[in-house]
Amino acid sequence: MTIHDINSGAIRSGGSHDPKRVDGGGDADEVSSVSRVERVDRVEISEEGRALAAAAEVGESMSPEHASQINARIADGTYDTAEVAEEVARRILDSGDV
C-alpha cells in the first residue's frame, strides 16, 4: 500500500494557509456565498420510555399520611434492629443491584 502526500503542507503550523482559499484555489466570493445549514436538535421519547416514566410516577407517589408513619417509625427506632438490617441486605442482594 502506498500513502501519497496530498497538500499536507497547508495544515502544518508555520505554513502559508489562506482561510479564504478552498482546495488550493477559488475566490473569497465563492467561500462567502456558501450558505450555512441551521442545526436543529430534536429528542424523541419512545413508547417504552413513556411507559417506564409513567410506572416511575406511580411508584414515587406517596400519601403524606404514609410518609409521616414512616418518619415516626424511624424516629422511634423500629428499623434499628439486626432483623431489619438483614432483611434489607437480603433484598439488595436479591435485586441484583450489587
Side-chain angles (χ1 to χ4, degrees), residues 10-81:
I11 59 171
R12 298 189 196 284
S13 63
S16 59
H17 178 67
D18 184 359
K20 294 179 184 175
R21 298 185 66 116
V22 178
D23 67 15
D27 297 323
D29 293 333
E30 287 180 36
V31 174
S32 63
S33 67
V34 175
S35 64
R36 296 199 180 263
V37 176
E38 183 178 333
R39 291 185 174 186
V40 178
D41 293 335
R42 188 174 82 197
V43 175
E44 293 183 18
I45 301 173
S46 67
E47 289 302 317
E48 181 181 357
R50 292 178 197 277
L52 288 171
E57 286 178 11
V58 170
E60 291 178 12
S61 62
M62 180 186 299
S63 70
E65 294 83 19
H66 190 211
S68 65
Q69 288 174 352
I70 292 172
N71 285 331
R73 289 182 195 150
I74 292 170
D76 72 12
T78 302
Y79 301 118
D80 295 335
T81 65

